[in-house]
């Protein structure tokens, strides 16, 4: 076979072809570069910025809640938030981070692992409200991608004191109960934010983009409560609830002259700083949320109506049997007794249901209803506490044939504890009803500074009954605390005390009757009776051990709390002689 000779091609031609290929590739690069730097530069710049920019929330300092003397009941302290930058955390380091952080912060390990494993994420919160010493410990471990930010944590220095009024802040920093919830808009302030540039290594770029909206601190709230009086009231009611096996109880201390609530205690309570350990049923404010039938403590309203509109006087005589039939219903006194000739003062002192029914027949149903409304029944008090009930008071058009009789002695209607305390404050204040007041005002900064204090609006005032009628009822109520009345255990040596017991049946929802429902034991009163400065009201829900009568179960709590309050307020006995109670006609 003939051999084909090899011919070398033109090298210049090959070089030109190579140069053309290189030029074409470079033109593609150049075109792409022009596209990136000119046509699409804004889009890629924005995308790069988004990858570097991170928004950090700047929490506002929550305002304090203090008592009337500036003692902190709820305060904000410095804390730390722990965050992660999953982008820089290497997969092989994740388990070590989880094993260290989860037990230290009390977090679920799987939740931490999920948070730090988020793809393409540069910022995720792991925990809020961490104590500074814990945060320093975590940072000493030098985990790449784990950092801290300053924030604040809510503390309650007095633990359970006033918890049903103050409430608590939940894990998201929001008020979730009590005043913390209802006044959240005042206390919380306005959170801010900051955008900062973060390097691929998770470091803040000092000269990078930095935008900021500062947070605005919340305002503090000063209450009318007095810490020492609150403590005494809470101790007394907790002790009695435990001793009697009651389902719960409340104590209110009130200044009748200006409506200020000086103590609002309830039991059982809870620690708002550790609210998750208690049953949610304890988180409310039973002082305004729980409705109950006032029983005999409500008889003072019937007395006021009979004195003002029925022509009855304290010395009007009634022949009182131990039971009376009205239509098809028999109403009884608490104890069987032979027929008695009682003055109206004696009817109140003996807390006779039958005697009260007889006195109530001097007024119409509409007059009784209107007097109850004038005293605040069936209307919310307006206190800034969540979930307040207005109680139940139907208009006369909806009363059955016999409803007016149990209503006259405090049943077939309901109230909350503050409403009932306000009734006695009205009588103590010469018949002038001053709306109950809990908030004294708001302030900027901490309680020690509070240079910008804004007082709350003055409470509404209204003459409900005449001063003369109020004085007569007050004198009659002093008879209740004599040895012949139902509450001698409410006596305070050296002081004149006026008050009224209450023992009301609790409706049983299973039978829509009172049988087997239990009892409400209560006592409400004021001192000194001839110059009232303080009102104390006690309610025990269904006491199981010992007596369920208000004069035995509730009156001793009144005595303890009132005695402490009189001493704390440095209120001296008036030295005047009490009126002689004329309980029996001709006696």
């Amino acid at each position: 076979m003939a051999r084909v000779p090899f011919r070398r091609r033109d090298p210049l031609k090959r070089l030109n072809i190579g140069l053309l290929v290189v030029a074409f590739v470079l033109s593609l690069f150049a075109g792409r570069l022009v596209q990136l730097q000119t046509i699409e530069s804004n889009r890629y710049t924005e995308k790069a910025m988004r990858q570097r920019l991170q928004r950090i929330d700047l929490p506002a300092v929550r305002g304090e809640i203090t008592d009337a003397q500036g003692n902190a009941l709820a305060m904000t302290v410095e804390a730390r938030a722990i965050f992660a930058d999953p982008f820089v955390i290497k997969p092989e380091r994740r388990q070590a981070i989880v094993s260290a952080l989860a037990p230290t912060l009390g977090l679920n390990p799987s939740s931490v692992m999920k948070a730090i494993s988020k793809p393409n994420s540069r910022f995720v919160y792991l925990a809020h409200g961490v104590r500074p010493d814990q945060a320093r410990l975590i940072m000493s471990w030098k985990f790449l991608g784990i950092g801290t930010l300053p924030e604040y944590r809510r503390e309650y220095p007095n633990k359970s004191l006033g918890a049903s009024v103050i409430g608590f802040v939940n894990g998201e920093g929001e008020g979730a109960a009590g005043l913390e919830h209802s006044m959240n808009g005042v206390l919380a302030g306005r959170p801010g934010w900051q955008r900062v540039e973060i390097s691929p290594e998770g470091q803040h770029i000092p000269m990078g983009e930095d935008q900021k909206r500062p947070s605005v601190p919340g305002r503090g709230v000063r209450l009318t409560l007095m810490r020492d009086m609150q403590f005494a009231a809470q101790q007394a009611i907790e002790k009695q609830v435990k001793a009697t096996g009651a389902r719960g109880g409340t104590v209110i201390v009130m200044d009748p002259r200006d409506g200020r609530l000086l103590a609002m205690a309830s039991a059982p309570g809870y620690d708002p700083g550790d609210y998750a350990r208690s049953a949610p049923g304890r988180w409310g404010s039973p002082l305004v949320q729980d409705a109950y039938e006032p029983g005999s403590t409500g008889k003072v309203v019937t007395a006021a109506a009979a004195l003002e509109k029925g022509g009855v006087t304290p010395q009007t005589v009634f022949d009182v049997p131990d039971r009376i039939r009205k239509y098809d219903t028999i109403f009884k006194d608490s104890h069987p007794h032979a027929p008695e000739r009682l003055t109206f003062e004696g009817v109140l002192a003996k807390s006779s249901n039958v005697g009260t029914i007889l006195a109530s027949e001097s007024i119409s149903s509409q007059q009784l209803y209107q007097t109850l409304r004038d005293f605040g029944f069936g209307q919310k008090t307006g206190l800034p506490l969540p979930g307040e009930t207005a109680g139940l008071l139907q208009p006369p058009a909806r009363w059955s044939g016999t409803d007016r009789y149990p209503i006259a002695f405090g049943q077939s209607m309901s109230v909350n504890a503050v409403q009932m305390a306000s009734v006695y404050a009205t009588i103590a204040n010469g018949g002038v009803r001053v709306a109950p007041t809990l908030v004294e005002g708001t302030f900027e900064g901490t309680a020690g500074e509070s240079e910008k204090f804004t007082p709350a609006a003055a409470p509404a005032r209204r003459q409900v009954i005449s001063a003369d009628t109020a004085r007569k009822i007050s004198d009659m109520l002093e008879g209740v605390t004599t040895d012949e009345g139902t509450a001698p255990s409410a006596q305070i040596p050296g002081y004149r005390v006026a008050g009224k017991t209450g023992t009301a049946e609790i409706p049983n929802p299973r039978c829509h009757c009172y049988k087997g429902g239990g009892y409400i034991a209560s006592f409400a009163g004021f001192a000194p009776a001839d110059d009232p400065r303080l009102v104390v009201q006690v309610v025990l829900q269904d006491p199981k051990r010992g007596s369920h009568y208000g004069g035995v179960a509730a009156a001793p709590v009144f005595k303890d709390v009132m005695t402490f309050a009189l001493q704390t307020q440095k209120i001296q006995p008036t030295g005047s002689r009490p009126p002689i109670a004329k309980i029996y006609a001709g006696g």
Side-chain angles (χ1 to χ4, degrees):
M1 178 181 293
R3 189 174 178 185
V4 178
F6 174 74
R7 295 182 180 178
R8 185 179 299 273
R9 296 194 178 185
D10 186 355
L12 185 58
K13 186 176 182 180
R14 291 200 309 273
L15 179 60
N16 288 337
I17 293 173
L19 289 174
L20 285 173
V21 171
V22 171
F24 176 74
V25 172
L26 289 176
S27 68
L28 292 177
F29 287 148
R32 182 58 174 161
L33 188 62
V34 170
Q35 182 186 24
L36 293 175
Q37 291 188 337
T38 58
I39 300 173
E40 297 183 0
S41 62
N42 290 338
R43 183 164 69 90
Y44 284 98
T45 300
E46 183 181 348
K47 185 176 180 180
M49 183 63 73
R50 280 202 308 268
Q51 289 178 338
R52 296 196 307 274
L53 268 183
Q54 297 295 326
R55 172 173 165 145
I56 298 173
D57 293 328
L58 301 177
V61 179
R62 193 174 181 87
E64 291 183 348
I65 300 176
T66 77
D67 77 346
Q69 297 168 317
N71 299 303
L73 303 175
M75 58 192 298
T76 297
V77 298
E78 184 181 351
R80 295 289 184 272
I82 307 299
F83 71 90
D85 181 353
F87 184 81
V88 301
I89 297 176
K90 297 179 179 179
E92 62 269 20
R93 295 293 295 157
R94 290 172 183 165
Q95 188 56 55
I97 293 173
V98 171
S99 299
L101 294 187
T104 304
L105 298 173
L107 301 175
N108 185 303
S110 61
S111 298
V112 178
M113 177 63 77
K114 183 179 178 181
I116 67 174
S117 303
K118 288 184 177 181
N120 303 320
S121 177
R122 297 303 312 269
F123 186 91
V124 59
Y125 281 112
L126 298 179
H128 291 279
V130 178
R131 296 195 312 270
D133 59 331
Q134 269 192 320
R136 285 193 294 270
L137 172 64
I138 290 170
M139 294 311 296
S140 70
W141 296 332
K142 300 186 183 304
F143 288 126
L144 182 64
I146 301 297
T148 68
L149 290 171
E151 61 174 19
Y152 305 98
R153 181 165 55 92
R154 201 65 161 168
E155 281 195 355
Y156 302 90
N158 303 290
K159 301 297 181 183
S160 63
L161 188 71
S164 61
V165 174
I166 298 165
F168 61 86
V169 172
N170 62 23
E172 286 71 46
E174 300 171 346
L179 291 172
E180 293 276 33
H181 172 72
S182 60
M183 300 195 71
N184 190 68
V186 174
L187 293 163
R190 188 191 71 190
W193 50 264
Q194 183 177 14
R195 289 191 179 94
V196 297
E197 286 192 67
I198 304 295
S199 71
E201 292 75 28
Q203 302 298 316
H204 178 197
I205 302 175
M207 303 300 292
E209 179 76 17
D210 196 340
Q211 301 173 349
K212 186 175 184 180
R213 188 186 78 174
S215 60
V216 178
R219 291 183 65 83
V221 174
R222 184 190 299 174
L223 305 183
T224 58
L225 302 182
M226 302 186 72
R227 185 179 61 179
D228 292 347
M229 210 176 294
Q230 179 75 24
F231 181 77
Q234 192 155 315
Q235 271 198 322
I237 195 61
E238 286 176 352
K239 179 181 176 182
Q240 193 68 344
V241 165
K242 184 177 181 180
T244 61
R247 188 169 67 244
T250 61
V251 176
I252 292 170
V253 183
M254 188 174 181
D255 188 331
R257 300 167 300 174
D258 54 19
R260 288 185 305 133
L261 292 159
L262 307 180
M264 297 178 72
S266 62
Y270 69 98
D271 182 355
D274 196 12
Y275 64 89
R277 290 183 177 271
S278 59
R282 295 189 180 187
W283 298 347
S285 299
L287 298 132
V288 297
Q289 288 180 335
D290 290 355
Y292 68 97
E293 297 193 4
S296 295
T297 56
K299 290 174 181 174
V300 294
V301 181
T302 303
L307 290 171
E308 289 249 306
K309 303 168 184 176
V312 175
T313 72
Q315 297 309 312
T316 299
V317 178
F318 295 94
D319 293 312
V320 183
D322 65 353
R323 63 192 62 206
I324 190 171
R325 176 183 288 274
K326 292 295 181 181
Y327 300 101
D328 60 346
T329 304
I330 295 177
F331 298 99
K332 302 177 182 179
D333 278 346
S334 59
H335 298 88
H337 62 80
E340 299 174 316
R341 282 179 58 79
L342 298 176
T343 65
F344 189 37
E345 181 177 16
V347 167
L348 207 59
K350 290 288 189 179
S351 197
S352 169
N353 294 338
V354 174
T356 304
I357 289 173
L358 294 174
S360 74
E361 292 184 322
S362 66
I363 56 175
S364 67
S365 296
Q366 182 60 40
Q367 287 173 323
L368 176 58
Y369 170 77
Q370 190 56 55
T371 305
L372 288 164
R373 291 285 296 180
D374 290 343
F375 271 94
F377 284 67
Q379 305 161 74
K380 293 183 180 181
T381 64
L383 292 180
L385 289 171
E388 180 180 4
T389 176
L392 178 64
L393 177 63
Q394 300 280 16
R398 300 182 65 178
W399 293 1
S400 70
T402 58
D403 276 351
R404 63 163 288 150
Y405 303 112
I407 287 173
F409 59 78
Q411 299 243 207
S412 297
M413 61 177 179
S414 65
V415 294
N416 66 48
V418 178
Q419 286 174 324
M420 206 63 231
S422 178
V423 169
Y424 282 79
T426 299
I427 295 168
N429 195 38
V432 177
R433 184 178 187 274
V434 184
T437 302
L438 176 59
V439 175
E440 207 166 83
T442 62
F443 58 88
E444 293 182 11
T446 61
E449 300 168 358
S450 63
E451 70 282 355
K452 293 185 179 179
F453 179 77
T454 303
R461 304 172 67 91
R462 187 163 68 91
Q463 190 83 40
V464 171
I465 55 175
S466 69
D468 180 61
T469 298
R471 180 74 265 160
K472 289 176 181 176
I473 295 175
S474 177
D475 290 346
M476 293 165 70
L477 290 175
E478 284 196 73
V480 174
T481 62
T482 64
D483 291 340
E484 290 185 299
T486 57
S489 57
Q491 296 173 11
I492 299 174
Y495 290 89
R496 290 174 58 178
V497 176
K500 185 72 190 74
T501 56
T503 307
E505 294 179 285
I506 300 173
N508 188 339
R510 288 174 294 183
C511 64
H512 300 289
C513 64
Y514 288 107
K515 186 177 181 180
Y519 295 89
I520 297 289
S522 62
F523 187 90
F526 48 87
D530 56 330
D531 183 22
R533 300 283 299 279
L534 295 168
V535 170
V536 173
Q537 195 243 7
V538 182
V539 179
L540 285 167
Q541 298 271 355
D542 196 18
K544 291 288 197 304
R545 290 190 290 271
S547 174
H548 61 261
Y549 290 106
V552 179
V557 180
F558 166 89
K559 177 180 179 178
D560 290 346
V561 175
M562 179 63 86
T563 300
F564 180 88
L566 290 167
Q567 293 173 348
T568 300
Q569 295 295 90
K570 297 181 172 56
I571 299 171
Q572 299 295 322
T574 59
S576 62
R577 297 179 63 85
I580 298 175
K582 189 176 181 181
I583 293 175
Y584 297 97

